[in-house]
């Protein structure tokens, strides 16, 4: 009877939006035709008779290359628009709680100075409060700093969770994170509104205030010296199971893990920490599934684990590797000037990725050569192996000893951890590279974005942290793009064409954007400054080609913004921050990869700063840029704006004052003048921060002066070379 019901009522459904597919594919075909006409126009220049060529060849070639690069980037983006799918799950149709598989939750923290303990512990508590059988839920917190303060905070979080988890279950609260629950204006009282609930809620809120005070005191009392900072790179492994055997309240198991780190060993950043958690958890809980969370990404929907299980418990998806939820943030302002919500990725890109399948997985080789010398760990690889950690005290002690060995910095020596097993180390973007290899081996994944946001985190609220974060996000995929693992050569015959192009777009996007944007932001402007036309006259029929491509690109991006529920200002902000990132974060991220490939620089990983500054948050919420960032970021950005100002002002003066036939000049140079004006008006915030604003967050005078020198140098050298 149960099996027939399972067949009649599926656990999940996949929906294909045919209207969206038709619009996307029609636009792709029409836009491709326009690009081909542009290529024909540019190429015909080189086949003219030398006597008819009045424009220097070099600038024409450079702008043509920039157009080809941007066109290739556009072509790769069409893969994620080819067949977007949307999914619905039915967790109420899952089997009984005692039949649900176990889950290990992995939470990684790396720097207590940049990741506030109150936020980290809220993530831990929310994970423990998931609507899932407590005996089948185990929460692991990885402390890569080896901080005693984090261990003590974890114990405090567990003490609070003993009261919070039963309270949330008893009253059916839909908010699992205590900080959000007590600070939210929404009425989340479950099914209760009586005096008993109000009294318990008040007591719980008082306990939470005590918890916050204790966490802050622990952190404040721990960091006056430099001891903890030194220990982040040199400390032994520490593994501690926080739960006590005599606990009467049934709550999930909480385990603190700090792997051994020594200056002489490569710790492989976050991927290394996750692989240690894989091995340690195998000795303690050995759950078949894991839920990986950032330390500030709390569980917003207690049913998220059950929703993921709707795919894993379905016999129709046996080769499913992972379920991906969107990464959303709770501190996004109405005017999201830094595009922190990353709308394109989570509301467009992943839906297209989800429409792609793959073949089967490959076999294992010798277990010890793969997984290391631990016999106890090898035992955990057997299906349905259950550690005897909780039942037997002596076994528990021995399991912890073995787990400490698995967390040592030398355990992975002479094994293939990080290259064939676990999270892969080749790139600092371990999620991208591991996902690429899983899909290449035939595993599948799904993207689930329910109406209620499943996980919420804290985004950056200032320009500096945003640019640093995107520089790091850039270097990971570009490292893969410029290697033997490049999807274009690593994926064929192993992946479908659409999936291959999706991964290629992610890998090459920063490199293609920075190269093309530097071309469009400098080459036409230098030619405009020197009176060299690069685009057809307005009266020339070929001018329509460029007009169509521009209107097509803007219309399609604006359509996607509107259909994903956003407003016009989101489109404006995305366009502006794309240009800003291209000449800053993407450029430095790509340069970092190139220097690393040449052996001139080692790969680095800088955790995103999660500590909020009230003044910076206020500016962000007002929609005002905070330009208090390094000159290395401001200099290229301001230099580009100054070059565009000089070119546009010079062209206007020449058309109105110098040139006798102003109308002909306007017609000849309109394309470049429009492009220059569009860049300036889109980035007016930079001009405002450089010239108009007088507050502390304006662009420093020193950065402006350096940019003036750079822009004059580029104008001078560019005029000599291009003319």
């Amino acid at each position: 009877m149960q099996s027939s019901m399972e067949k009649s009522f599926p656990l999940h459904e996949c929906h294909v939006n045919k209207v969206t597919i038709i619009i996307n594919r029609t636009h792709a075909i029409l836009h491709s035709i326009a690009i081909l006409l542009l290529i024909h126009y540019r190429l015909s220049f080189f086949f003219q008779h030398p006597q008819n060529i009045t424009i220097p060849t070099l600038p024409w070639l450079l702008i043509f290359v920039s157009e080809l690069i941007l066109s290739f980037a556009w072509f790769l983006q069409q893969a994620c628009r080819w067949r977007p799918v949307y999914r619905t799950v039915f967790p109420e149709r899952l089997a009984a709680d005692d039949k649900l598989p176990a889950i290990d939750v992995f939470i990684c923290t790396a720097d207590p100075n940049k990741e506030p303990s109150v936020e980290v512990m809220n993530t831990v508590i929310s994970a423990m409060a998931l609507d899932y059988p407590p005996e089948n839920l185990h929460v692991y917190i990885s402390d890569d700093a080896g901080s005693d303060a984090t261990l003590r905070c974890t114990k405090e979080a567990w003490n609070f969770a003993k009261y919070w988890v039963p309270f949330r279950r008893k009253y059916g609260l839909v908010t699992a994170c205590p900080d959000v629950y007590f600070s939210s204006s929404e009425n989340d009282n479950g099914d209760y509104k009586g005096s008993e609930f109000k009294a318990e809620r008040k007591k719980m809120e008082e306990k939470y205030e005590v918890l916050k005070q204790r966490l802050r005191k622990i952190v404040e009392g721990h960091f006056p010296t430099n001891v903890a900072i030194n220990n982040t790179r040199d400390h032994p492994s520490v593994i501690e199971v926080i739960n006590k055997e005599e606990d009467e309240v049934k709550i999930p198991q909480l385990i603190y893990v700090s792997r051994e780190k020594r200056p002489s060993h490569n710790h492989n950043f976050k991927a290394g920490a996750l692989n240690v958690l894989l091995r340690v958890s195998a000795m303690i809980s050995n759950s078949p599934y894991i839920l990986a969370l950032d330390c500030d990404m709390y569980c917003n929907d207690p049913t998220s684990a059950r929703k993921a299980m709707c795919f894993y418990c379905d016999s129709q998806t046996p080769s499913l590797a992972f379920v991906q939820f969107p990464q959303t943030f709770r501190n996004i302002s109405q005017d999201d000037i830094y595009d922190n919500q990353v709308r394109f990725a989570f509301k467009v890109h992943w839906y297209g990725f989800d429409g792609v399948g793959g073949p089967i997985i490959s076999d294992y080789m010798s277990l010890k050569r793969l997984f290391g010398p631990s016999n106890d760990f090898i035992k955990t690889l057997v299906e349905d192996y259950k550690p005897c950690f909780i039942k037997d005290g002596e076994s528990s002690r021995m399991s912890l000893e073995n787990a400490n060995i698995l967390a040592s910095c030398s355990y992975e020596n002479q094994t293939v951890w990080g290259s064939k097993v676990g999270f892969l180390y080749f790139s600092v973007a371990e999620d991208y590279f591991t996902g690429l290899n899983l899909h290449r081996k035939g595993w599948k994944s799904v993207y689930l974005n329910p109406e209620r946001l499943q996980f919420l985190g804290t985004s950056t609220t200032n320009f500096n942290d945003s640019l640093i974060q995107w520089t790091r996000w850039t270097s990971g995929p570009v490292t893969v793009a410029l290697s033997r693992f490049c999807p274009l050569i690593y994926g064929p015959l192993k992946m479908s064409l659409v999936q291959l192009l999706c991964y290629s777009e992610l890998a090459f996007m920063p490199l293609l954007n920075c190269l093309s944007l530097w071309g469009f932001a400098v080459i036409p402007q230098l030619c405009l400054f020197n009176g060299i036309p690069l685009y057809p006259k307005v009266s020339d029929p070929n001018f329509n080609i460029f007009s169509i491509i521009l209107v097509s690109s803007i219309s399609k991006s604006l359509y996607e913004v509107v259909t994903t529920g956003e407003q016009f200002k989101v489109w404006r902000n995305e366009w502006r921050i794309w240009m800003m990132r291209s000449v800053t974060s993407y450029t430095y991220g790509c340069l970092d990869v190139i220097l690393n490939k040449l052996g001139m620089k080692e790969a680095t990983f800088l955790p995103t700063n999660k500590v909020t500054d009230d003044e910076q948050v206020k500016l962000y919420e007002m929609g005002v840029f905070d330009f208090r960032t390094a000159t290395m970021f401001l200099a290229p950005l301001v230099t580009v704006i100054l070059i565009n100002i000089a070119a546009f002002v010079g062209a206007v003066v020449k058309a109105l004052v110098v040139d006798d036939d102003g109308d002909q000049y306007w017609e000849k140079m309109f394309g470049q003048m429009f492009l220059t004006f569009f860049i300036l008006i889109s980035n007016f915030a930079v001009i405002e921060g450089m010239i108009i604003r007088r507050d502390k967050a304006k662009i420093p005078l020193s950065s402006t002066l350096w940019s003036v020198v750079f822009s004059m140098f580029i104008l001078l050298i560019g005029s000599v070379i291009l003319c």
Side-chain angles (χ1 to χ4, degrees):
M1 182 68 180
Q2 186 177 357
S3 59
S4 62
M5 287 185 64
E6 289 177 356
K7 292 180 181 179
S8 302
F9 302 101
L11 294 175
H12 61 90
E13 291 180 352
C14 180
H15 312 278
V16 179
N17 191 327
K18 294 183 179 180
V19 175
T20 300
I21 291 177
I22 292 173
I23 292 175
N24 288 348
R25 296 183 181 183
T26 302
H27 172 265
I29 293 172
L30 296 177
H31 197 84
S32 298
I33 294 173
I35 290 176
L36 290 175
L37 292 174
L38 182 151
I39 294 173
H40 175 267
Y41 169 76
R42 290 296 187 194
L43 286 175
S44 63
F45 171 85
F46 299 103
F47 295 96
Q48 298 181 69
H49 193 279
Q51 294 181 349
N52 297 330
I53 297 178
T54 59
I55 302 173
T57 303
L58 181 59
W60 189 276
L61 178 63
L62 290 176
I63 196 63
F64 182 33
V65 170
S66 298
E67 290 166 348
L68 287 177
I69 292 173
L70 195 60
S71 298
F72 181 60
W74 172 86
F75 170 72
L76 292 179
Q77 283 187 347
Q78 302 319 298
C80 69
R81 295 178 170 94
W82 195 248
R83 188 181 179 270
V85 298
Y86 309 84
R87 298 185 184 273
T88 306
V89 293
F90 307 98
E92 66 277 5
R93 298 175 183 174
L94 285 170
D97 284 1
D98 58 348
K99 295 183 179 179
L100 290 177
I103 298 176
D104 290 339
V105 182
F106 291 173
I107 301 170
C108 293
T109 180
D111 189 343
N113 286 313
K114 293 185 176 181
E115 298 163 341
S117 293
V118 172
E119 288 190 10
V120 176
M121 295 308 138
N122 265 278
T123 301
V124 171
I125 294 168
S126 70
M128 297 179 69
L130 284 172
D131 182 16
Y132 209 77
E135 63 275 8
N136 284 347
L137 188 63
H138 317 87
V139 180
Y140 293 80
I141 176 169
S142 170
D143 175 20
D144 238 18
S147 170
D148 178 64
T150 303
L151 174 57
R152 293 168 59 192
C153 288
T154 303
K155 293 179 179 179
E156 293 291 344
W158 175 79
N159 284 325
F160 175 78
K162 288 193 302 182
Y163 303 98
W164 170 254
V165 173
F167 173 75
R168 194 210 67 76
R169 287 183 196 150
K170 179 178 179 181
Y171 294 106
L173 305 182
V174 297
T175 303
C177 177
D179 189 70
V180 176
Y181 176 73
F182 292 119
S183 62
S184 176
S185 58
E186 295 182 8
N187 185 22
D188 178 14
N189 297 334
D191 299 326
Y192 297 84
K193 295 182 181 179
S195 57
E196 179 187 356
F197 166 77
K198 292 180 180 179
E200 286 199 41
R201 186 189 188 281
K202 185 177 181 180
K203 289 181 181 179
M204 192 59 58
E205 188 170 7
E206 291 173 353
K207 290 181 184 295
Y208 179 63
E209 290 300 321
V210 172
L211 170 68
K212 289 197 295 185
Q213 293 175 10
R214 288 181 176 175
L215 295 179
R216 288 167 181 154
K217 284 182 180 179
I218 290 173
V219 175
E220 290 170 1
H222 189 75
F223 289 106
T225 67
N226 292 326
V227 176
I229 298 176
N230 295 332
N231 284 343
T232 59
R233 300 180 184 89
D234 189 3
H235 57 79
S237 61
V238 177
I239 301 173
E240 185 168 336
V241 179
I242 308 300
N243 302 54
K244 297 178 176 60
E245 294 182 8
E246 63 272 12
D247 293 338
E248 296 181 1
V249 181
K250 256 195 166 184
I251 62 174
Q253 201 172 24
L254 178 60
I255 302 96
Y256 170 89
V257 178
S258 177
R259 59 174 169 155
E260 181 187 15
K261 293 176 73 174
R262 302 299 179 193
S264 58
H265 285 76
N266 188 352
H267 56 82
N268 295 303
F269 311 116
K270 186 177 179 179
L274 287 169
N275 281 338
V276 168
L277 288 179
L278 284 175
R279 296 194 295 268
V280 171
S281 64
M283 301 302 301
I284 298 175
S285 53
N286 199 35
S287 300
Y289 301 101
I290 64 171
L291 168 63
L293 298 175
D294 284 343
C295 63
D296 67 326
M297 192 62 58
Y298 70 85
C299 304
N300 188 57
D301 185 353
T303 65
S304 55
R306 290 180 180 270
K307 288 176 178 176
M309 284 300 118
C310 289
F311 297 98
Y312 289 115
C313 294
D314 186 357
S315 59
Q316 301 301 317
T317 54
S319 58
L320 182 65
F322 57 92
V323 176
Q324 180 166 330
F325 290 96
Q327 189 175 16
T328 48
F329 306 98
R330 60 167 169 159
N331 62 333
I332 299 294
S333 68
Q334 290 186 348
D335 191 7
D336 182 22
I337 55 176
Y338 304 131
D339 186 31
N340 289 329
Q341 65 172 328
V342 200
R343 180 200 61 85
F344 174 74
F346 299 118
K347 293 187 178 181
V348 178
H349 208 146
W350 295 153
Y351 287 117
F353 246 108
D354 196 13
V356 180
I360 61 173
I361 193 169
S362 58
D363 296 326
Y364 285 112
M365 301 188 318
S366 173
L367 291 180
K368 283 202 173 183
R369 187 164 65 85
L370 281 170
F371 299 104
S374 172
N375 290 324
D376 293 286
F377 179 74
I378 298 297
K379 293 177 183 178
T380 67
L381 301 177
V382 179
E383 188 176 1
D384 296 329
Y385 173 82
K386 300 294 183 184
C388 53
F389 184 83
I390 301 300
K391 300 177 181 178
D392 186 342
E394 179 63 20
S395 297
S396 300
R397 184 186 62 80
M398 293 178 63
S399 295
L400 277 180
E401 291 178 356
N402 292 327
N404 275 280
I405 295 173
L406 295 169
S408 66
C409 58
S410 59
Y411 180 81
E412 294 182 358
N413 294 346
Q414 309 302 319
T415 71
V416 291
W417 277 98
S419 60
K420 293 183 179 179
V421 173
F423 292 87
L424 306 185
Y425 295 155
F426 181 77
S427 167
V428 293
E430 75 289 330
D431 49 358
Y432 171 85
F433 189 54
T434 303
L436 171 63
N437 279 270
L438 284 171
H439 283 124
R440 185 176 178 271
K441 292 178 178 178
W443 290 91
K444 298 179 181 179
S445 62
V446 296
Y447 179 60
L448 182 62
N449 188 9
E451 183 177 351
R452 178 176 173 82
L453 300 178
Q454 300 298 286
F455 303 94
L456 284 173
T458 305
S459 71
T460 56
T461 55
N462 63 80
F463 199 39
N464 181 66
D465 290 341
S466 177
L467 293 179
I468 291 175
Q469 183 179 61
W470 276 94
T471 301
R472 188 181 76 238
W473 287 352
T474 294
S475 62
V478 174
T479 298
V480 179
L482 302 181
S483 72
R484 63 188 179 91
F485 299 110
C486 171
L488 292 176
I489 59 177
Y490 188 58
L493 305 181
K494 298 287 187 178
M495 304 166 68
S496 67
L497 177 61
V498 178
Q499 189 177 35
L500 176 68
L501 293 177
C502 284
Y503 269 106
S504 299
E505 191 269 330
L506 287 177
F508 284 100
M509 180 270 294
L511 181 62
L512 297 176
N513 282 342
C514 79
L515 290 176
S516 60
L517 258 291
W518 273 108
F520 282 110
V522 175
I523 302 302
Q525 290 72 14
L526 290 176
C527 292
L528 178 62
F529 188 76
N530 292 279
I532 303 173
L534 291 179
Y535 297 99
K537 294 180 180 180
V538 177
S539 58
D540 188 336
N542 290 312
F543 184 82
N544 295 327
I545 299 174
F546 294 88
S547 301
I548 290 172
I549 290 176
L550 177 64
V551 172
S552 172
S553 299
I554 292 177
S555 300
K556 186 59 167 64
S557 61
L558 189 56
Y559 163 79
E560 289 181 345
V561 168
V562 173
T563 54
T564 53
E566 303 295 344
Q567 300 177 2
F568 173 80
K569 63 182 179 181
V570 171
W571 173 85
R572 177 201 64 195
N573 291 338
E574 288 182 352
W575 196 276
R576 175 178 57 199
I577 204 68
W578 171 66
M579 289 188 278
M580 289 182 172
R581 287 172 184 161
S582 295
V583 298
T584 55
S585 298
Y586 296 164
T587 300
Y588 285 118
C590 294
L591 184 62
D592 185 73
V593 173
I594 293 171
L595 292 176
N596 178 257
K597 295 290 182 182
L598 296 175
M600 301 171 63
K601 188 178 185 297
E602 290 186 1
T604 56
F605 180 88
L606 296 174
T608 305
N609 185 15
K610 306 294 174 62
V611 179
T612 58
D613 180 276
D614 292 339
E615 184 180 358
Q616 292 174 341
V617 171
K618 185 177 180 180
L619 288 172
Y620 171 64
E621 292 177 345
M622 292 170 57
V624 178
F625 273 82
D626 184 354
F627 288 111
R628 286 172 290 186
T629 184
T631 303
M632 63 173 284
F633 286 127
L634 290 178
L637 183 60
V638 177
T639 298
V640 166
I641 296 302
L642 289 175
I643 292 173
N644 278 262
I645 291 175
F648 186 76
V649 172
V652 172
V653 170
K654 190 172 183 179
L656 297 178
V657 180
V658 180
D659 202 303
D660 294 333
D661 193 353
D663 291 340
Q664 186 177 0
Y665 183 86
W666 281 103
E667 185 183 18
K668 181 175 65 174
M669 306 302 294
F670 178 79
Q672 283 153 265
M673 292 184 70
F674 177 81
L675 174 62
T676 304
F677 178 75
F678 182 75
I679 291 175
L680 291 175
I681 200 68
S682 298
N683 293 276
F684 181 75
V686 179
I687 301 175
E688 185 182 40
M690 183 172 49
I691 300 174
I692 302 174
R693 287 170 55 182
R694 292 292 180 266
D695 57 283
K696 292 189 296 184
K698 68 175 184 177
I699 295 176
L701 180 60
S702 59
S703 298
T704 302
L705 293 177
W706 275 111
S707 300
V708 169
V709 174
F710 294 147
S711 59
M712 292 178 64
F713 177 79
I714 293 174
L715 287 170
L716 177 62
I717 299 299
S719 299
V720 173
I721 296 176
L722 297 180
C723 299

